[in-house]
Amino acid sequence: GYRWQGGEFQEQGFEFVPLAPAGSVSSSAEDMARFLVSFLRMGETETGRRMLGESAMENMQQIHFRHAPGLNGMAYGLMDLSHNGVRALGHGGDTLWFHSIFAFFPDEGFGLFASFNTDTANTEHFYTSFVENYFPLEEHVPPPAQGYGDAERFAGSFRVNRYDHTDIGKIGALMGGVDIEAQEDGSLVTVSGERARWLRESPTRFREDHGERRLVFRENDRGRITHAFLSDVPILALERTPLLERPRLQLVLLASSMLLFALMAMGFPALATLRRSYGVVLPEPRKLPTVGRVFAWAAAVCYLAFVVVTGLALSDPMEIVFGVPALLDGALWLPILGAAFSLGALLFVFSAWRRSRGGFFARCFFSVVVLAGFVFLWQLFVWNMLGPRL
């Protein structure tokens, strides 16, 4: 496999992707062609040997699940890849350096297998172009969209719900989201790397403008939109992103917290040094509790150190695919230590306000820094990064 880097393709080592049950299957194009033939011949190989019984193969090629009527569904181990009115089954395969497509057309009696050994390949574009070239649709003028005045209910931030819900990998849910925007004419626009416009067909169904894809929404008992489904991606569902987990909000909270921690980590020792240099001695009522300030400073240092170490451990985000780096595993102890310091500092926040210790603005800053610590801990909890992986 090859990675595009520095203006050229650079050869990469052999991949082993430990994401059971997917990944890590290696094969040749010739063997994949034999595998494909066995599907076209209902379980019989090109040499006449039987791989599976005909009834089992028929069952494998039947659609057993759909997110919504009219959308491509799932067979056993096979995706419904039908496009342009042509029935097709198959599966994609993606690692970091290889992107493959396996597809067969039962009614037409042929199939294809293609694999690209770079990180820049687009098998989806290849497949749809292949089908549209050999099975073109007659051009037609789509009927006008029906007039509905509630397009706003579909707008919002959605994310693919194929992510690790219980481990540190949940952080991947921050990437690959889809923003849906409502237009004045009742249509929708999806933004995810590229923009696409969708026209209303029915209360919860849209079709792609100048395309064959469908976008269907699911609503709960109260009429609130909870999910969205794309006709050509039967293995994925989009769920409405909870307000507090939206990427922009999370980024703003993280950036704000890091700024406060940096001010605390550098400002506390800087002010102490300046006061010693100029012989400034504050009267006791104007001083914040020393132990409380030390606790807040130590917590800020722990949180900053965690973010820095995490950035170093994930300098290449793709490395997380192969497992959690040892450096990151060790860094996960830092928030626990920081949490202990934050709890200690919180006690002195109450004490400072109750006894009017320190100036008003000093108390405000002290309180905000401690509060930022708990906000940061909440963020780590949401993304399953609060504490070591046991």
Side-chain angles (χ1 to χ4, degrees), residues 92-224:
D94 297 280
T95 61
L96 296 181
W97 322 128
F98 280 84
H99 300 276
S100 308
I101 180 67
F102 170 91
F104 61 96
F105 304 79
D107 301 334
E108 310 298 331
F110 80 97
L112 68 93
F113 173 77
S115 189
F116 302 86
N117 60 334
T118 71
D119 63 337
T120 58
N122 187 331
T123 53
E124 180 183 353
H125 178 69
F126 166 79
Y127 174 74
T128 55
S129 298
F130 179 93
V131 175
E132 290 166 6
N133 181 71
Y134 289 101
F135 304 98
L137 283 178
E138 293 184 8
E139 289 196 19
H140 63 281
V141 178
Q146 300 181 36
Y148 292 89
D150 60 346
E152 286 292 337
R153 66 194 290 252
F154 303 102
S157 176
F158 290 76
R159 66 186 179 191
V160 175
N161 66 357
R162 183 185 182 184
Y163 61 85
D164 191 334
H165 287 65
T166 59
D167 207 344
I168 191 173
K170 185 182 177 181
I171 197 73
L174 287 171
M175 298 173 284
V178 177
D179 289 327
I180 299 180
E181 303 170 354
Q183 307 300 299
E184 291 183 0
D185 61 359
S187 65
L188 299 178
V189 170
T190 53
V191 183
S192 178
E194 59 183 24
R195 297 174 67 89
R197 182 167 177 259
W198 305 82
L199 306 177
R200 194 81 166 263
E201 283 188 324
S202 71
T204 57
R205 182 182 295 267
F206 292 75
R207 69 168 183 277
E208 187 176 18
D209 190 16
H210 303 294
E212 293 298 315
R213 293 193 301 168
R214 296 296 190 271
L215 175 64
V216 179
F217 292 88
R218 176 183 293 168
E219 58 186 1
N220 60 19
D221 296 338
R222 293 172 293 177
R224 182 177 182 272

Side-chain angles (χ1 to χ4, degrees), residues 234-361:
I235 61 171
L236 300 179
L238 295 169
E239 64 182 16
R240 189 179 287 277
T241 308
L243 175 62
L244 295 179
E245 295 184 19
R246 292 182 181 175
R248 290 194 187 102
L249 176 60
Q250 288 288 316
L251 182 60
V252 168
L253 290 175
L254 178 63
S256 302
S257 298
M258 290 303 108
L259 177 60
L260 288 168
F261 297 153
L263 289 173
M264 184 68 191
M266 294 184 293
F268 176 54
L271 283 174
T273 301
L274 286 173
R275 285 170 182 159
R276 281 197 302 269
S277 299
Y278 289 96
V280 176
V281 179
L282 294 176
E284 199 63 27
R286 292 197 57 196
K287 292 173 59 179
L288 288 170
T290 302
V291 177
R293 284 180 293 158
V294 171
F295 279 171
W297 176 85
V301 170
C302 286
Y303 300 144
L304 285 171
F306 172 75
V307 171
V308 171
V309 174
T310 299
L312 292 173
L314 299 179
S315 56
D316 183 354
M318 293 183 178
E319 288 299 316
I320 196 69
V321 173
F322 302 102
V324 177
L327 184 61
L328 177 56
D329 231 358
L332 291 172
W333 285 99
L334 287 171
I336 298 298
L337 185 60
F341 286 126
S342 289
L343 286 170
L346 181 62
L347 298 177
F348 287 94
V349 167
F350 295 131
S351 174
W353 284 101
R354 188 173 63 252
R355 300 181 181 181
S356 298
R357 295 285 301 275
F360 176 76
F361 290 107

